[in-house]
Amino acid sequence: MSDNQNEPREYDAVLGGQNSIPVNAAVLGGIPGVKSRLASPAVEARIAALSEALRYGKAGLDLIIGGLQDESMQVKFAAYSLLKDRNEGEIKQHLQNYSPIFEFDVITVDAYGKENSRSKSFAGFFPEDLGDGIVLEMVYIPGGTFMMGSSNSEEGRQTWESPQHQVTVPAFYTGKYPITQAQWQAVMGKNRSGFKGEKRPVENVWWTEAIEFCGKLSQQTGKKYRLLSEAEWEYACRAGTTTLFHFGETITPELVNYKEDYFSPRACQKLSYPEQTTDVGSFPPNAFGLYDMHGNVWEWCSDTSHNSYNGAPTDGSSWETSSNNSRVQRGGSWFSSAVFCRSAYRSMNSVGYSLRDSGFRVAVASVSSPS
C-alpha cells in the first residue's frame, strides 16, 4: 500500500448511493476522493469535501478556491469561510476579486404570528468604504420574474396596487439596510433626523435629498448609485414570496418595527411597540438578506406616482412618465399599521415631504453575480 496520502487506499471504493460502507471497503480517499465528492449533487457532501481538502496542501487549497465558483451559495460560503483568514498571497488575490458572503436565518410565521420555519441562507455583498470606519454593505439581488401588486383577494389591498402584473427584474445590488445616520453624515455632512443614533435609519429626508445623496455617493465612489425603482423594491422585499409580508400572512412586533396590530389575529393581545425608529438590523431579514423591508422607515423609490399599474413597465425600470410632483414610498414605518407595511402597499407623497418616518436605501447596477 502506498504511503502517498493523495493516492487511494487499499480496497477504496466509491459508494454509488449505498447507505453504509461495504465490508472491507473504504470511501475513496485523498485528492481523488475529494474531487469525487465535490462532483456530488448533494450540497452537504460538497461542503464536507471542502473541509477535507484542507488536509492536502496546495492541491486541496486549489479545490477550495474552485469552490468559490460553485452554483450553491452554501458551498460558496463554506469555501469563503475556509479561505478568508489565510495569508497566502495567491489566496488573498483570489479573494480580492470575490464578493464576500454572509449567513443569516430566514423566518416564516403562521397566521397567528407564530414561527413555523427557520432556515439558514446566504447572500453575496460588497462593502463600500465611506471613510472613518463607516461601511455601506451592498447585497447582491439575483435577477428574476415575479408578480407585482396585490391580488383581488388580498386582505387590506388598495385599488392602486392593481392590476397585478408580471415583471422581470435584472440583477442589481441594494443596501443591506436603509441608509443609516452615520452613512448619511459621512456623505452629506449633516443630519437632522429626529431620533438620533448612528445605526438608526436616517429620516426626515425629502425625495430630492435622497437623490442628492445618491449623486454625492456616486462622485465619491465612482459607481452610479441611485434609488430603487418601485418594481425593484417590491421584488427585493418579496424575495421569492407571494404572501402579504415576506414573513408570511402577518407580522408581529418581534419581527417588524411598526405601530399598531389591527391586521393580525393577535390584535386582541396587548403588544408593545417602540414608537420610534430602531437600529437597522434589529429584526430578521428576508431570503435575500435584506433587513427592515417592512417597517422602521418608509423608503423612497425613484418612480413618479401613478394611480394604478396600467401602462407600467415590465422590465424592472423606474416609471417616470407622470408629470406630477410626487414620488412613491414603500415598506411602511414605525408609525404605520401593519396593513401599510405589506409587500404590495404603495404610498405616494410630494418630493418635499418629510417626517420622522421617511428614509431610503440605495441601489447600484450589477453586471454579473458575485464571483
Side-chain angles (χ1 to χ4, degrees):
M1 179 175 172
S2 171
D3 293 330
N4 187 342
Q5 63 180 352
N6 292 336
E7 291 183 4
R9 301 187 302 275
E10 188 175 5
Y11 305 121
D12 278 354
V14 177
L15 303 181
Q18 298 183 53
N19 293 324
S20 59
I21 299 176
V23 177
N24 296 327
V27 175
L28 185 65
I31 287 295
V34 173
K35 288 181 177 179
S36 173
R37 288 183 281 285
L38 285 174
S40 169
V43 168
E44 295 81 1
R46 302 204 298 277
I47 291 174
L50 290 176
S51 296
E52 183 184 342
L54 285 174
R55 298 165 51 191
Y56 301 116
K58 176 65 166 57
L61 287 174
D62 286 343
L63 293 178
I64 298 172
I65 291 171
L68 294 172
Q69 307 300 325
D70 195 276
E71 63 182 14
S72 164
M73 190 65 77
Q74 290 95 323
V75 177
K76 287 182 180 181
F77 181 78
Y80 177 80
S81 297
L82 291 169
L83 297 173
K84 65 183 178 63
D85 295 324
R86 299 190 69 94
N87 295 318
E88 292 91 332
E90 180 185 358
I91 292 176
K92 286 186 174 182
Q93 185 175 0
H94 277 283
L95 293 180
Q96 281 178 352
N97 299 319
Y98 182 78
S99 294
I101 293 171
F102 66 100
E103 180 182 12
F104 51 92
D105 286 344
V106 178
I107 295 171
T108 63
V109 298
D110 64 18
Y112 291 87
K114 182 180 179 181
E115 182 178 323
N116 58 13
S117 74
R118 180 182 292 255
S119 60
K120 292 291 183 186
S121 192
F122 307 83
F125 75 102
F126 73 84
E128 190 72 87
D129 187 358
L130 304 183
D132 296 326
I134 307 301
V135 175
L136 171 62
E137 294 176 282
M138 298 296 293
V139 177
Y140 177 72
I141 307 299
T145 299
F146 80 114
M147 293 301 294
M148 184 174 182
S150 59
S151 67
N152 292 335
S153 61
E154 180 165 319
E155 185 178 357
R157 75 181 300 271
Q158 303 293 326
T159 57
W160 52 85
E161 298 168 15
S162 62
Q164 198 172 36
H165 58 292
Q166 183 172 285
V167 178
T168 298
V169 178
F172 65 101
Y173 284 85
T174 191
K176 186 177 184 179
Y177 313 109
I179 292 297
T180 66
Q181 293 177 38
Q183 293 163 349
W184 177 269
Q185 182 77 36
V187 174
M188 303 294 281
K190 58 182 179 180
N191 177 22
R192 66 165 187 270
S193 297
F195 300 114
K196 290 293 193 288
E198 288 190 353
K199 294 184 179 180
R200 294 194 184 200
V202 68
E203 21 93 359
N204 266 328
V205 176
W206 304 346
W207 183 86
T208 51
E209 292 176 316
I211 293 297
E212 182 183 359
F213 177 95
C214 291
K216 289 187 175 182
L217 181 60
S218 298
Q219 290 179 345
Q220 181 175 328
T221 63
K223 302 181 182 72
K224 191 175 181 180
Y225 279 94
R226 56 179 175 79
L227 297 179
L228 283 72
S229 72
E230 190 179 7
E232 287 175 328
W233 190 96
E234 185 171 328
Y235 174 75
C237 176
R238 290 187 179 279
T241 64
T242 59
T243 47
L244 275 64
F245 310 91
H246 63 69
F247 293 108
E249 296 297 343
T250 192
I251 51 176
T252 70
E254 292 78 28
L255 299 174
V256 173
N257 180 9
Y258 62 112
K259 185 179 181 182
E260 295 169 314
D261 203 356
Y262 298 132
F263 198 63
S264 164
R266 295 187 62 189
C268 59
Q269 302 179 24
K270 185 177 178 62
L271 299 173
S272 175
Y273 305 92
E275 299 188 1
Q276 58 182 289
T277 60
T278 47
D279 286 357
V280 299
S282 297
F283 299 91
N286 67 10
F288 283 155
L290 302 180
Y291 292 75
D292 296 321
M293 295 300 287
H294 301 302
N296 216 2
V297 289
W298 286 101
E299 298 184 15
W300 286 112
C301 294
S302 56
D303 307 56
T304 53
S305 61
H306 297 79
N307 291 328
S308 75
Y309 285 129
N310 289 318
T314 59
D315 60 357
S317 61
S318 182
W319 191 16
E320 302 182 33
T321 58
S322 174
S323 60
N324 63 50
N325 197 36
S326 63
R327 300 280 170 162
V328 176
Q329 290 182 299
R330 288 299 207 111
S333 76
W334 65 270
F335 194 65
S336 301
S337 296
V339 67
F340 301 125
C341 298
R342 290 177 298 112
S343 299
Y345 187 79
R346 314 166 70 204
S347 179
M348 291 162 271
N349 286 296
S350 164
V351 295
Y353 169 90
S354 69
L355 285 175
R356 287 191 296 177
D357 62 353
S358 291
F360 67 104
R361 74 180 73 210
V362 295
V364 68
S366 171
V367 296
S368 62
S369 64
S371 60

